[in-house]
Amino acid sequence: MDFVHDQLQDGRKFRVLTIIDKWHRQCVALQADFALTGQSVVDTLEAVRVDTEMPDAITVDHGTEFTSRVLDEWCYQRGVKLDFIRPGKPTENGFIESFNGRLRDECLNVTEFVSLEHARAVLDRWREDYNHHRPHGSLGNLTPSEFAQRGQKSDDVAPNL
């Protein structure tokens, strides 16, 4: 998990919580809002939990949203470990950093968002394309959703976000 930042046409800044699954390379969530807190992260993870098996660990940096008591408690109650990268070492969470770069280059930098609702709609379409229509070389030229469908069973190895 990580965050990226952007702004609307009128200059108001917003953030996007990005969550990917390291195994399938699927983007499981892009949550955009003007303010995202530890509770916002928990709410997003709860929504993801409906459709996705929870991982053994989630890799994060030391941002205040990820070091919050509410996220710590949520993880403890669900048996999920928070795997913090070392401060100043974003390459230790390379999958999300690479994903965020692609999101910025292909979506955020080429779109002028007129409202938060517009940003959410564009992000949803981009996420759909990324997961279901783009083959990844690292996945044997399958899309993340195809790889997930063909991939290992959940009892073989626990997924990582």
Side-chain angles (χ1 to χ4, degrees):
M1 293 191 295
D2 201 10
F3 289 97
V4 293
H5 303 80
D6 207 336
Q7 67 182 21
L8 301 179
Q9 190 177 39
D10 65 10
R12 288 183 294 163
K13 296 180 187 312
F14 68 93
R15 301 174 77 199
V16 181
L17 172 64
T18 59
I19 306 174
I20 63 166
D21 182 303
K22 286 182 185 179
W23 175 256
H24 303 115
R25 307 294 198 275
Q26 284 185 304
C27 175
V28 297
L30 290 175
Q31 179 63 37
D33 213 327
F34 293 117
L36 291 166
T37 63
Q39 184 62 55
S40 304
V41 172
V42 166
D43 293 343
T44 302
L45 288 170
E46 274 299 303
V48 166
R49 198 167 80 109
V50 171
D51 297 320
T52 305
E53 183 179 340
M54 282 294 97
D56 289 339
I58 301 174
T59 305
V60 295
D61 61 24
H62 290 269
T64 56
E65 302 84 3
F66 301 140
T67 59
S68 69
R69 284 188 177 149
V70 67
L71 180 60
D72 186 55
E73 183 179 324
W74 183 90
C75 288
Y76 177 77
Q77 290 174 350
R78 282 148 190 83
V80 175
K81 178 185 174 215
L82 284 176
D83 181 22
F84 289 97
I85 64 171
R86 291 179 292 168
K89 302 287 185 183
T91 56
E92 290 181 359
N93 200 0
F95 287 120
I96 197 75
E97 294 297 333
S98 174
F99 174 83
N100 287 348
R102 178 164 287 148
L103 174 64
R104 175 147 312 281
D105 291 344
E106 297 175 4
C107 182
L108 301 177
N109 286 349
V110 298
T111 308
E112 190 169 10
F113 301 108
V114 294
S115 67
L116 189 58
E117 293 74 24
H118 176 232
R120 288 174 177 157
V122 169
L123 288 165
D124 284 345
R125 285 192 304 272
W126 189 87
R127 181 177 166 263
E128 173 74 16
D129 179 62
Y130 179 87
N131 285 340
H132 299 287
H133 302 288
R134 279 192 206 185
H136 291 235
S138 64
L139 302 176
N141 289 319
L142 298 173
T143 67
S145 61
E146 290 170 333
F147 187 79
Q149 289 172 351
R150 290 187 185 183
Q152 63 196 32
K153 295 179 179 66
S154 61
D155 57 350
D156 290 340
V157 174
N160 286 313
L161 295 181

Short mmCIF file of all heavy atoms in Angstrom, two decimals, residues 47-113:
data_model
loop_
_atom_site.label_atom_id
_atom_site.label_comp_id
_atom_site.label_asym_id
_atom_site.label_seq_id
_atom_site.Cartn_x
_atom_site.Cartn_y
_atom_site.Cartn_z
N ALA A 47 -13.47 -3.09 2.61
CA ALA A 47 -14.17 -3.23 1.33
C ALA A 47 -13.46 -4.25 0.44
O ALA A 47 -14.10 -5.06 -0.23
CB ALA A 47 -14.27 -1.88 0.63
N VAL A 48 -12.14 -4.22 0.43
CA VAL A 48 -11.35 -5.17 -0.36
C VAL A 48 -11.54 -6.59 0.15
O VAL A 48 -11.61 -7.55 -0.62
CB VAL A 48 -9.85 -4.77 -0.33
CG1 VAL A 48 -8.96 -5.89 -0.83
CG2 VAL A 48 -9.62 -3.50 -1.12
N ARG A 49 -11.67 -6.72 1.45
CA ARG A 49 -11.78 -8.03 2.10
C ARG A 49 -13.01 -8.81 1.63
O ARG A 49 -13.02 -10.04 1.65
CB ARG A 49 -11.84 -7.82 3.62
CG ARG A 49 -11.53 -9.02 4.43
CD ARG A 49 -11.30 -8.58 5.87
NE ARG A 49 -12.54 -8.37 6.56
CZ ARG A 49 -13.00 -9.17 7.53
NH1 ARG A 49 -12.31 -10.21 7.90
NH2 ARG A 49 -14.13 -8.90 8.12
N VAL A 50 -14.02 -8.11 1.15
CA VAL A 50 -15.23 -8.77 0.66
C VAL A 50 -14.91 -9.66 -0.55
O VAL A 50 -15.45 -10.75 -0.68
CB VAL A 50 -16.29 -7.71 0.29
CG1 VAL A 50 -17.47 -8.34 -0.42
CG2 VAL A 50 -16.74 -6.95 1.53
N ASP A 51 -14.00 -9.19 -1.42
CA ASP A 51 -13.70 -9.90 -2.66
C ASP A 51 -12.33 -10.55 -2.71
O ASP A 51 -12.03 -11.29 -3.64
CB ASP A 51 -13.79 -8.92 -3.85
CG ASP A 51 -15.18 -8.36 -4.02
OD1 ASP A 51 -16.15 -9.11 -3.85
OD2 ASP A 51 -15.29 -7.15 -4.32
N THR A 52 -11.47 -10.25 -1.75
CA THR A 52 -10.08 -10.68 -1.80
C THR A 52 -9.67 -11.32 -0.48
O THR A 52 -9.98 -10.80 0.58
CB THR A 52 -9.15 -9.46 -2.06
OG1 THR A 52 -9.60 -8.80 -3.24
CG2 THR A 52 -7.72 -9.89 -2.23
N GLU A 53 -8.97 -12.42 -0.58
CA GLU A 53 -8.43 -13.05 0.62
C GLU A 53 -7.38 -12.13 1.23
O GLU A 53 -6.55 -11.57 0.51
CB GLU A 53 -7.80 -14.39 0.24
CG GLU A 53 -7.27 -15.16 1.41
CD GLU A 53 -6.67 -16.49 0.99
OE1 GLU A 53 -6.99 -16.96 -0.10
OE2 GLU A 53 -5.88 -17.02 1.77
N MET A 54 -7.42 -11.98 2.52
CA MET A 54 -6.44 -11.12 3.19
C MET A 54 -5.08 -11.80 3.20
O MET A 54 -4.97 -13.01 3.36
CB MET A 54 -6.88 -10.81 4.62
CG MET A 54 -7.96 -9.75 4.71
SD MET A 54 -7.44 -8.09 4.18
CE MET A 54 -8.01 -8.04 2.49
N PRO A 55 -4.04 -11.00 3.04
CA PRO A 55 -2.68 -11.55 2.99
C PRO A 55 -2.14 -11.82 4.40
O PRO A 55 -2.73 -11.41 5.39
CB PRO A 55 -1.90 -10.41 2.34
CG PRO A 55 -2.60 -9.19 2.84
CD PRO A 55 -4.07 -9.56 2.86
N ASP A 56 -1.00 -12.49 4.43
CA ASP A 56 -0.29 -12.65 5.69
C ASP A 56 0.35 -11.34 6.12
O ASP A 56 0.48 -11.06 7.31
CB ASP A 56 0.82 -13.70 5.56
CG ASP A 56 0.29 -15.11 5.44
OD1 ASP A 56 -0.87 -15.36 5.85
OD2 ASP A 56 1.03 -15.98 4.93
N ALA A 57 0.79 -10.53 5.13
CA ALA A 57 1.48 -9.28 5.43
C ALA A 57 1.15 -8.23 4.37
O ALA A 57 0.89 -8.57 3.21
CB ALA A 57 2.99 -9.50 5.48
N ILE A 58 1.20 -6.98 4.80
CA ILE A 58 1.03 -5.84 3.89
C ILE A 58 2.25 -4.95 4.06
O ILE A 58 2.58 -4.52 5.17
CB ILE A 58 -0.24 -5.03 4.22
CG1 ILE A 58 -1.49 -5.92 4.11
CG2 ILE A 58 -0.36 -3.85 3.27
CD1 ILE A 58 -2.77 -5.24 4.58
N THR A 59 2.93 -4.66 2.94
CA THR A 59 4.13 -3.83 2.98
C THR A 59 3.73 -2.37 2.87
O THR A 59 2.98 -1.99 1.96
CB THR A 59 5.08 -4.21 1.83
OG1 THR A 59 5.36 -5.61 1.90
CG2 THR A 59 6.37 -3.43 1.90
N VAL A 60 4.24 -1.56 3.80
CA VAL A 60 3.91 -0.13 3.86
C VAL A 60 5.13 0.67 4.29
O VAL A 60 6.10 0.12 4.81
CB VAL A 60 2.75 0.14 4.85
CG1 VAL A 60 1.46 -0.50 4.38
CG2 VAL A 60 3.09 -0.34 6.25
N ASP A 61 5.04 1.99 4.08
CA ASP A 61 6.07 2.87 4.62
C ASP A 61 5.63 3.34 6.01
O ASP A 61 4.67 2.83 6.57
CB ASP A 61 6.37 4.03 3.66
CG ASP A 61 5.16 4.92 3.39
OD1 ASP A 61 4.23 4.97 4.23
OD2 ASP A 61 5.14 5.58 2.35
N HIS A 62 6.30 4.34 6.55
CA HIS A 62 6.01 4.80 7.91
C HIS A 62 5.08 6.00 7.94
O HIS A 62 5.11 6.78 8.90
CB HIS A 62 7.32 5.12 8.65
CG HIS A 62 8.11 3.89 8.98
ND1 HIS A 62 7.96 3.21 10.14
CD2 HIS A 62 9.02 3.21 8.26
CE1 HIS A 62 8.76 2.16 10.15
NE2 HIS A 62 9.41 2.14 9.01
N GLY A 63 4.24 6.16 6.93
CA GLY A 63 3.28 7.26 6.92
C GLY A 63 2.33 7.15 8.09
O GLY A 63 2.04 6.05 8.59
N THR A 64 1.81 8.28 8.52
CA THR A 64 0.96 8.29 9.72
C THR A 64 -0.29 7.43 9.57
O THR A 64 -0.77 6.86 10.54
CB THR A 64 0.53 9.73 10.08
OG1 THR A 64 -0.12 10.32 8.95
CG2 THR A 64 1.72 10.57 10.47
N GLU A 65 -0.80 7.30 8.34
CA GLU A 65 -1.99 6.48 8.13
C GLU A 65 -1.67 5.00 8.38
O GLU A 65 -2.53 4.24 8.81
CB GLU A 65 -2.52 6.63 6.70
CG GLU A 65 -2.86 8.05 6.33
CD GLU A 65 -1.65 8.85 5.85
OE1 GLU A 65 -0.53 8.30 5.75
OE2 GLU A 65 -1.83 10.04 5.59
N PHE A 66 -0.44 4.61 8.09
CA PHE A 66 -0.04 3.20 8.24
C PHE A 66 0.47 2.88 9.64
O PHE A 66 0.57 1.71 10.01
CB PHE A 66 1.02 2.83 7.20
CG PHE A 66 0.56 3.02 5.78
CD1 PHE A 66 1.41 3.54 4.83
CD2 PHE A 66 -0.73 2.70 5.38
CE1 PHE A 66 1.00 3.71 3.51
CE2 PHE A 66 -1.15 2.87 4.07
CZ PHE A 66 -0.28 3.38 3.13
N THR A 67 0.82 3.89 10.40
CA THR A 67 1.27 3.67 11.77
C THR A 67 0.17 3.97 12.78
O THR A 67 0.41 4.01 13.99
CB THR A 67 2.52 4.52 12.09
OG1 THR A 67 2.20 5.90 11.90
CG2 THR A 67 3.70 4.13 11.22
N SER A 68 -1.04 4.17 12.29
CA SER A 68 -2.16 4.53 13.17
C SER A 68 -2.61 3.35 14.02
O SER A 68 -2.45 2.19 13.64
CB SER A 68 -3.33 5.04 12.34
OG SER A 68 -3.89 3.99 11.58
N ARG A 69 -3.18 3.67 15.16
CA ARG A 69 -3.71 2.63 16.06
C ARG A 69 -4.84 1.85 15.42
O ARG A 69 -4.95 0.64 15.59
CB ARG A 69 -4.20 3.24 17.37
CG ARG A 69 -3.08 3.62 18.27
CD ARG A 69 -3.62 4.04 19.62
NE ARG A 69 -2.50 4.33 20.49
CZ ARG A 69 -2.54 5.21 21.45
NH1 ARG A 69 -3.63 5.90 21.67
NH2 ARG A 69 -1.48 5.40 22.20
N VAL A 70 -5.69 2.55 14.65
CA VAL A 70 -6.85 1.88 14.06
C VAL A 70 -6.40 0.82 13.04
O VAL A 70 -6.97 -0.27 12.99
CB VAL A 70 -7.85 2.90 13.47
CG1 VAL A 70 -7.27 3.63 12.27
CG2 VAL A 70 -9.15 2.24 13.11
N LEU A 71 -5.37 1.11 12.25
CA LEU A 71 -4.87 0.12 11.30
C LEU A 71 -4.16 -1.01 12.03
O LEU A 71 -4.33 -2.19 11.70
CB LEU A 71 -3.94 0.75 10.26
CG LEU A 71 -3.37 -0.22 9.23
CD1 LEU A 71 -4.48 -0.92 8.43
CD2 LEU A 71 -2.40 0.50 8.30
N ASP A 72 -3.38 -0.66 13.05
CA ASP A 72 -2.69 -1.68 13.83
C ASP A 72 -3.68 -2.64 14.46
O ASP A 72 -3.50 -3.86 14.42
CB ASP A 72 -1.82 -1.00 14.90
CG ASP A 72 -0.97 -1.99 15.65
OD1 ASP A 72 -0.21 -2.74 15.00
OD2 ASP A 72 -1.07 -2.02 16.90
N GLU A 73 -4.74 -2.11 15.03
CA GLU A 73 -5.77 -2.96 15.64
C GLU A 73 -6.48 -3.83 14.60
O GLU A 73 -6.72 -5.01 14.83
CB GLU A 73 -6.79 -2.08 16.37
CG GLU A 73 -7.86 -2.88 17.09
CD GLU A 73 -8.84 -1.98 17.83
OE1 GLU A 73 -8.42 -0.95 18.36
OE2 GLU A 73 -10.04 -2.34 17.86
N TRP A 74 -6.80 -3.25 13.46
CA TRP A 74 -7.45 -4.00 12.39
C TRP A 74 -6.58 -5.17 11.96
O TRP A 74 -7.06 -6.30 11.81
CB TRP A 74 -7.76 -3.07 11.20
CG TRP A 74 -8.49 -3.74 10.09
CD1 TRP A 74 -9.83 -3.83 9.93
CD2 TRP A 74 -7.91 -4.42 8.97
NE1 TRP A 74 -10.13 -4.52 8.79
CE2 TRP A 74 -8.97 -4.90 8.18
CE3 TRP A 74 -6.61 -4.67 8.56
CZ2 TRP A 74 -8.77 -5.61 7.01
CZ3 TRP A 74 -6.40 -5.39 7.40
CH2 TRP A 74 -7.47 -5.85 6.63
N CYS A 75 -5.30 -4.91 11.76
CA CYS A 75 -4.37 -5.97 11.35
C CYS A 75 -4.26 -7.05 12.42
O CYS A 75 -4.28 -8.25 12.11
CB CYS A 75 -3.00 -5.37 11.04
SG CYS A 75 -2.95 -4.43 9.50
N TYR A 76 -4.14 -6.64 13.66
CA TYR A 76 -4.03 -7.60 14.75
C TYR A 76 -5.25 -8.51 14.80
O TYR A 76 -5.13 -9.73 14.93
CB TYR A 76 -3.86 -6.86 16.09
CG TYR A 76 -3.82 -7.78 17.27
CD1 TYR A 76 -2.68 -8.51 17.57
CD2 TYR A 76 -4.94 -7.94 18.09
CE1 TYR A 76 -2.64 -9.37 18.66
CE2 TYR A 76 -4.92 -8.79 19.16
CZ TYR A 76 -3.76 -9.51 19.44
OH TYR A 76 -3.74 -10.38 20.51
N GLN A 77 -6.43 -7.93 14.68
CA GLN A 77 -7.67 -8.71 14.76
C GLN A 77 -7.81 -9.68 13.60
O GLN A 77 -8.49 -10.70 13.71
CB GLN A 77 -8.88 -7.78 14.80
CG GLN A 77 -9.00 -7.02 16.09
CD GLN A 77 -10.12 -6.00 16.06
OE1 GLN A 77 -10.72 -5.72 15.03
NE2 GLN A 77 -10.40 -5.42 17.22
N ARG A 78 -7.17 -9.41 12.48
CA ARG A 78 -7.30 -10.27 11.30
C ARG A 78 -6.05 -11.10 11.03
O ARG A 78 -5.97 -11.81 10.03
CB ARG A 78 -7.64 -9.42 10.08
CG ARG A 78 -9.13 -9.06 10.11
CD ARG A 78 -9.42 -7.74 9.49
NE ARG A 78 -10.79 -7.33 9.76
CZ ARG A 78 -11.21 -6.75 10.87
NH1 ARG A 78 -10.37 -6.50 11.84
NH2 ARG A 78 -12.47 -6.41 11.02
N GLY A 79 -5.07 -11.00 11.91
CA GLY A 79 -3.86 -11.80 11.75
C GLY A 79 -2.99 -11.37 10.58
O GLY A 79 -2.27 -12.19 10.00
N VAL A 80 -3.04 -10.08 10.23
CA VAL A 80 -2.25 -9.54 9.13
C VAL A 80 -1.08 -8.76 9.72
O VAL A 80 -1.27 -7.91 10.59
CB VAL A 80 -3.10 -8.62 8.23
CG1 VAL A 80 -2.25 -7.97 7.15
CG2 VAL A 80 -4.27 -9.39 7.62
N LYS A 81 0.11 -9.04 9.25
CA LYS A 81 1.30 -8.34 9.72
C LYS A 81 1.55 -7.10 8.86
O LYS A 81 1.42 -7.16 7.64
CB LYS A 81 2.51 -9.27 9.63
CG LYS A 81 3.80 -8.62 10.05
CD LYS A 81 4.98 -9.56 9.81
CE LYS A 81 6.26 -8.82 10.11
NZ LYS A 81 7.35 -9.21 9.25
N LEU A 82 1.88 -5.99 9.50
CA LEU A 82 2.33 -4.81 8.76
C LEU A 82 3.84 -4.91 8.60
O LEU A 82 4.57 -4.98 9.58
CB LEU A 82 1.95 -3.52 9.50
CG LEU A 82 0.49 -3.12 9.42
CD1 LEU A 82 0.23 -1.88 10.26
CD2 LEU A 82 0.06 -2.89 7.99
N ASP A 83 4.28 -4.96 7.37
CA ASP A 83 5.70 -5.10 7.04
C ASP A 83 6.22 -3.72 6.65
O ASP A 83 6.04 -3.29 5.51
CB ASP A 83 5.86 -6.10 5.90
CG ASP A 83 7.29 -6.33 5.50
OD1 ASP A 83 8.20 -6.07 6.32
OD2 ASP A 83 7.51 -6.76 4.35
N PHE A 84 6.81 -3.02 7.60
CA PHE A 84 7.29 -1.66 7.35
C PHE A 84 8.64 -1.68 6.65
O PHE A 84 9.54 -2.40 7.06
CB PHE A 84 7.43 -0.88 8.67
CG PHE A 84 6.11 -0.55 9.29
CD1 PHE A 84 5.59 -1.34 10.30
CD2 PHE A 84 5.38 0.54 8.86
CE1 PHE A 84 4.36 -1.05 10.87
CE2 PHE A 84 4.15 0.85 9.43
CZ PHE A 84 3.65 0.05 10.44
N ILE A 85 8.75 -0.88 5.58
CA ILE A 85 10.05 -0.74 4.93
C ILE A 85 10.92 0.16 5.81
O ILE A 85 10.41 0.87 6.67
CB ILE A 85 9.91 -0.15 3.51
CG1 ILE A 85 9.34 1.28 3.55
CG2 ILE A 85 9.07 -1.06 2.62
CD1 ILE A 85 9.38 2.01 2.22
N ARG A 86 12.22 0.12 5.58
CA ARG A 86 13.11 1.00 6.31
C ARG A 86 12.91 2.43 5.82
O ARG A 86 12.69 2.65 4.63
CB ARG A 86 14.56 0.58 6.10
CG ARG A 86 14.89 -0.74 6.77
CD ARG A 86 16.31 -1.16 6.53
NE ARG A 86 16.46 -1.48 5.11
CZ ARG A 86 17.62 -1.66 4.51
NH1 ARG A 86 18.74 -1.56 5.17
NH2 ARG A 86 17.67 -1.95 3.22
N PRO A 87 12.95 3.40 6.74
CA PRO A 87 12.77 4.80 6.34
C PRO A 87 13.76 5.19 5.24
O PRO A 87 14.95 4.84 5.30
CB PRO A 87 13.05 5.57 7.63
CG PRO A 87 12.73 4.61 8.72
CD PRO A 87 13.14 3.26 8.19
N GLY A 88 13.25 5.87 4.22
CA GLY A 88 14.09 6.33 3.13
C GLY A 88 14.46 5.25 2.12
O GLY A 88 15.33 5.47 1.28
N LYS A 89 13.82 4.09 2.17
CA LYS A 89 14.14 2.97 1.28
C LYS A 89 12.90 2.55 0.49
O LYS A 89 12.41 1.43 0.62
CB LYS A 89 14.67 1.78 2.07
CG LYS A 89 15.90 2.06 2.90
CD LYS A 89 17.10 2.21 2.01
CE LYS A 89 18.35 2.38 2.86
NZ LYS A 89 19.52 2.59 2.05
N PRO A 90 12.34 3.43 -0.36
CA PRO A 90 11.12 3.07 -1.10
C PRO A 90 11.31 1.86 -2.01
O PRO A 90 10.32 1.18 -2.33
CB PRO A 90 10.79 4.33 -1.89
CG PRO A 90 12.07 5.08 -1.98
CD PRO A 90 12.84 4.74 -0.72
N THR A 91 12.54 1.55 -2.39
CA THR A 91 12.75 0.38 -3.25
C THR A 91 12.42 -0.93 -2.54
O THR A 91 12.24 -1.95 -3.20
CB THR A 91 14.20 0.33 -3.77
OG1 THR A 91 15.09 0.34 -2.66
CG2 THR A 91 14.48 1.50 -4.69
N GLU A 92 12.33 -0.89 -1.21
CA GLU A 92 11.93 -2.10 -0.49
C GLU A 92 10.45 -2.42 -0.71
O GLU A 92 9.98 -3.49 -0.35
CB GLU A 92 12.22 -1.95 1.01
CG GLU A 92 13.70 -1.96 1.31
CD GLU A 92 14.01 -1.83 2.79
OE1 GLU A 92 13.08 -1.71 3.62
OE2 GLU A 92 15.20 -1.87 3.12
N ASN A 93 9.72 -1.49 -1.29
CA ASN A 93 8.33 -1.71 -1.68
C ASN A 93 8.23 -1.40 -3.18
O ASN A 93 7.39 -0.65 -3.63
CB ASN A 93 7.39 -0.83 -0.85
CG ASN A 93 5.96 -1.33 -0.85
OD1 ASN A 93 5.65 -2.35 -1.47
ND2 ASN A 93 5.10 -0.62 -0.17
N GLY A 94 9.13 -2.03 -3.94
CA GLY A 94 9.30 -1.73 -5.35
C GLY A 94 8.07 -1.95 -6.21
O GLY A 94 7.85 -1.21 -7.18
N PHE A 95 7.27 -2.97 -5.90
CA PHE A 95 6.09 -3.23 -6.73
C PHE A 95 5.14 -2.03 -6.70
O PHE A 95 4.65 -1.59 -7.73
CB PHE A 95 5.35 -4.48 -6.26
CG PHE A 95 6.06 -5.76 -6.60
CD1 PHE A 95 6.45 -6.61 -5.59
CD2 PHE A 95 6.34 -6.10 -7.90
CE1 PHE A 95 7.11 -7.79 -5.88
CE2 PHE A 95 7.00 -7.28 -8.21
CZ PHE A 95 7.39 -8.13 -7.19
N ILE A 96 4.87 -1.51 -5.51
CA ILE A 96 3.93 -0.39 -5.42
C ILE A 96 4.55 0.88 -6.00
O ILE A 96 3.86 1.68 -6.63
CB ILE A 96 3.40 -0.18 -3.98
CG1 ILE A 96 2.12 0.68 -3.97
CG2 ILE A 96 4.43 0.45 -3.09
CD1 ILE A 96 0.91 -0.01 -4.44
N GLU A 97 5.85 1.06 -5.83
CA GLU A 97 6.50 2.24 -6.39
C GLU A 97 6.44 2.21 -7.91
O GLU A 97 6.16 3.23 -8.56
CB GLU A 97 7.95 2.34 -5.90
CG GLU A 97 8.10 2.59 -4.42
CD GLU A 97 7.51 3.91 -3.94
OE1 GLU A 97 7.44 4.87 -4.75
OE2 GLU A 97 7.12 4.00 -2.77
N SER A 98 6.69 1.05 -8.50
CA SER A 98 6.59 0.90 -9.95
C SER A 98 5.16 1.13 -10.42
O SER A 98 4.91 1.83 -11.41
CB SER A 98 7.07 -0.49 -10.36
OG SER A 98 6.86 -0.71 -11.73
N PHE A 99 4.21 0.53 -9.71
CA PHE A 99 2.80 0.71 -10.04
C PHE A 99 2.42 2.19 -9.96
O PHE A 99 1.75 2.71 -10.87
CB PHE A 99 1.92 -0.12 -9.09
CG PHE A 99 0.46 0.14 -9.29
CD1 PHE A 99 -0.25 -0.52 -10.28
CD2 PHE A 99 -0.20 1.06 -8.48
CE1 PHE A 99 -1.59 -0.26 -10.47
CE2 PHE A 99 -1.55 1.31 -8.67
CZ PHE A 99 -2.24 0.65 -9.67
N ASN A 100 2.82 2.86 -8.89
CA ASN A 100 2.48 4.28 -8.73
C ASN A 100 3.06 5.12 -9.87
O ASN A 100 2.43 6.07 -10.33
CB ASN A 100 2.95 4.81 -7.38
CG ASN A 100 2.11 4.30 -6.23
OD1 ASN A 100 1.05 3.72 -6.43
ND2 ASN A 100 2.60 4.49 -5.02
N GLY A 101 4.26 4.78 -10.31
CA GLY A 101 4.86 5.49 -11.44
C GLY A 101 4.05 5.31 -12.71
O GLY A 101 3.82 6.26 -13.47
N ARG A 102 3.60 4.09 -12.94
CA ARG A 102 2.77 3.81 -14.11
C ARG A 102 1.43 4.56 -14.00
O ARG A 102 0.96 5.15 -14.97
CB ARG A 102 2.54 2.30 -14.21
CG ARG A 102 1.65 1.92 -15.37
CD ARG A 102 1.76 0.46 -15.66
NE ARG A 102 3.05 0.26 -16.28
CZ ARG A 102 3.78 -0.83 -16.16
NH1 ARG A 102 3.35 -1.84 -15.46
NH2 ARG A 102 4.93 -0.93 -16.77
N LEU A 103 0.82 4.51 -12.82
CA LEU A 103 -0.44 5.23 -12.59
C LEU A 103 -0.27 6.72 -12.87
O LEU A 103 -1.09 7.35 -13.54
CB LEU A 103 -0.93 5.00 -11.16
CG LEU A 103 -2.14 5.78 -10.70
CD1 LEU A 103 -3.39 5.40 -11.50
CD2 LEU A 103 -2.38 5.59 -9.21
N ARG A 104 0.82 7.28 -12.37
CA ARG A 104 1.07 8.71 -12.58
C ARG A 104 1.27 9.01 -14.06
O ARG A 104 0.64 9.91 -14.62
CB ARG A 104 2.31 9.16 -11.79
CG ARG A 104 2.64 10.60 -12.08
CD ARG A 104 3.24 11.37 -10.95
NE ARG A 104 2.59 11.27 -9.68
CZ ARG A 104 1.49 11.93 -9.32
NH1 ARG A 104 0.87 12.71 -10.18
NH2 ARG A 104 1.00 11.81 -8.12
N ASP A 105 2.14 8.24 -14.74
CA ASP A 105 2.45 8.50 -16.15
C ASP A 105 1.25 8.30 -17.07
O ASP A 105 1.05 9.06 -18.01
CB ASP A 105 3.59 7.59 -16.63
CG ASP A 105 4.92 7.93 -16.01
OD1 ASP A 105 5.07 9.03 -15.44
OD2 ASP A 105 5.84 7.08 -16.09
N GLU A 106 0.47 7.26 -16.82
CA GLU A 106 -0.58 6.87 -17.75
C GLU A 106 -1.95 7.45 -17.42
O GLU A 106 -2.83 7.46 -18.29
CB GLU A 106 -0.70 5.35 -17.80
CG GLU A 106 0.54 4.68 -18.31
CD GLU A 106 0.46 3.17 -18.23
OE1 GLU A 106 -0.60 2.63 -17.86
OE2 GLU A 106 1.47 2.52 -18.55
N CYS A 107 -2.15 7.90 -16.20
CA CYS A 107 -3.48 8.35 -15.80
C CYS A 107 -3.44 9.76 -15.20
O CYS A 107 -4.05 10.67 -15.74
CB CYS A 107 -4.09 7.36 -14.81
SG CYS A 107 -5.75 7.76 -14.27
N LEU A 108 -2.74 9.92 -14.11
CA LEU A 108 -2.79 11.19 -13.38
C LEU A 108 -2.20 12.35 -14.19
O LEU A 108 -2.77 13.44 -14.22
CB LEU A 108 -2.08 11.05 -12.04
CG LEU A 108 -2.64 10.00 -11.08
CD1 LEU A 108 -1.80 9.93 -9.82
CD2 LEU A 108 -4.10 10.27 -10.76
N ASN A 109 -1.05 12.11 -14.82
CA ASN A 109 -0.39 13.21 -15.56
C ASN A 109 -1.09 13.57 -16.86
O ASN A 109 -0.81 14.63 -17.41
CB ASN A 109 1.07 12.85 -15.85
CG ASN A 109 1.94 12.93 -14.62
OD1 ASN A 109 1.54 13.43 -13.58
ND2 ASN A 109 3.16 12.42 -14.74
N VAL A 110 -1.96 12.72 -17.37
CA VAL A 110 -2.59 12.99 -18.66
C VAL A 110 -4.06 13.38 -18.52
O VAL A 110 -4.75 13.56 -19.52
CB VAL A 110 -2.45 11.79 -19.62
CG1 VAL A 110 -0.98 11.52 -19.91
CG2 VAL A 110 -3.12 10.55 -19.07
N THR A 111 -4.54 13.50 -17.28
CA THR A 111 -5.95 13.82 -17.07
C THR A 111 -6.06 15.07 -16.21
O THR A 111 -5.41 15.20 -15.19
CB THR A 111 -6.67 12.65 -16.34
OG1 THR A 111 -6.43 11.44 -17.05
CG2 THR A 111 -8.15 12.91 -16.26
N GLU A 112 -6.91 15.97 -16.65
CA GLU A 112 -7.22 17.15 -15.85
C GLU A 112 -8.55 16.86 -15.16
O GLU A 112 -9.61 16.83 -15.80
CB GLU A 112 -7.31 18.40 -16.72
CG GLU A 112 -7.39 19.66 -15.93
CD GLU A 112 -7.20 20.90 -16.79
OE1 GLU A 112 -7.19 20.79 -18.03
OE2 GLU A 112 -7.08 21.98 -16.20
N PHE A 113 -8.49 16.64 -13.88
CA PHE A 113 -9.67 16.25 -13.11
C PHE A 113 -10.49 17.47 -12.73
O PHE A 113 -9.96 18.42 -12.17
CB PHE A 113 -9.26 15.48 -11.85
CG PHE A 113 -8.48 14.23 -12.14
CD1 PHE A 113 -7.12 14.17 -11.86
CD2 PHE A 113 -9.10 13.13 -12.70
CE1 PHE A 113 -6.40 13.02 -12.14
CE2 PHE A 113 -8.39 11.98 -12.98
CZ PHE A 113 -7.03 11.92 -12.70
#
